[in-house]
Amino acid sequence: MLQTLPDLRGFARFLTRDTAAADDLVQDTIVRALAAQDQFQEGTALKAWLFTIQRNAFYEQNRRRSREQEIMQDIEFDMRPSTAAPSRQHARDAVQDLGELLWKLPDLLREALILVGAQELSYEDAARVCNVPAGTMRARVSRARAQLADLAAENSADPQPESEKNIV
């Protein structure tokens, strides 16, 4: 498998057109291949098998990214217009602020909120991904939402209407 790393990296750079993203894709490919090594059939081409895994991982990431952008656009269009600024600009600012606030959450809480909120996984499925009980996942999402609301309140220069606070 080590001998194929340069080829995997070259293919990943072709797919992503970004060095850092390519390195991440290669790493994801290797992790997936190691996890599924019992599915590899002796006598077949290892390189082709790895490229298939890499290609599928790339397209899966693109679908996920596309879905995340759709969700963010839905949030943007669902926001109420502001009297202080044009509604589209206000919505973009609010979405950007939300993204910045998400990165202020602890890793475990951010992960839980993204899995359940943005990725639309059930609490049970998200719990399986994180290898924790479903109740733990529910608690993490609840704490994440509460902390996100607190962070939003701290960062808000002007008070938000109650209806916008419930978006989180």
Side-chain angles (χ1 to χ4, degrees):
M1 193 180 294
L2 289 176
Q3 295 172 343
T4 63
L5 285 178
D7 295 326
L8 286 171
R9 190 159 191 267
F11 186 51
R13 288 190 74 181
F14 168 76
L15 290 171
T16 63
R17 297 183 183 126
D18 178 85
T19 305
D23 290 342
D24 291 343
L25 182 58
V26 170
Q27 181 179 354
D28 188 31
T29 301
I30 297 300
V31 168
R32 288 177 186 220
L34 290 173
Q37 64 186 352
D38 58 323
Q39 295 176 14
F40 178 71
Q41 297 174 357
E42 291 294 326
T44 61
L46 176 64
K47 187 174 176 179
W49 184 67
L50 291 170
F51 274 25
T52 301
I53 292 171
Q54 187 172 58
R55 181 183 171 277
N56 291 342
F58 172 74
Y59 286 121
E60 179 184 321
Q61 290 170 1
N62 279 348
R63 281 191 299 272
R64 184 176 297 129
R65 194 175 306 117
S66 173
R67 181 66 181 136
E68 289 169 356
Q69 289 174 349
E70 287 175 19
I71 290 169
M72 296 305 271
Q73 286 176 349
D74 287 347
I75 291 171
E76 177 182 331
F77 290 123
D78 287 345
M79 303 204 98
R80 292 180 176 239
S82 169
T83 57
S87 61
R88 292 185 71 95
Q89 183 62 41
H90 175 71
R92 280 191 194 99
D93 291 345
V95 169
Q96 185 176 8
D97 290 346
L98 175 62
E100 291 172 7
L101 293 177
L102 279 172
W103 287 105
K104 292 180 180 180
L105 291 174
D107 292 344
L108 291 176
L109 299 184
R110 183 176 57 249
E111 174 184 60
L113 194 59
I114 295 297
L115 288 172
V116 172
Q119 297 299 325
E120 298 179 343
L121 292 179
S122 68
Y123 288 108
E124 291 76 18
D125 289 342
R128 275 193 287 279
V129 168
C130 295
N131 199 26
V132 298
T136 300
M137 186 56 64
R138 283 185 180 87
R140 286 179 183 175
V141 170
S142 178
R143 285 194 311 268
R145 287 178 174 155
Q147 284 188 22
L148 201 56
D150 290 345
L151 287 169
E154 291 172 11
N155 289 344
S156 179
D158 51 19
Q160 293 178 328
E162 272 307 307
S163 62
E164 286 187 20
K165 288 182 182 176
N166 294 330
I167 291 174
V168 180

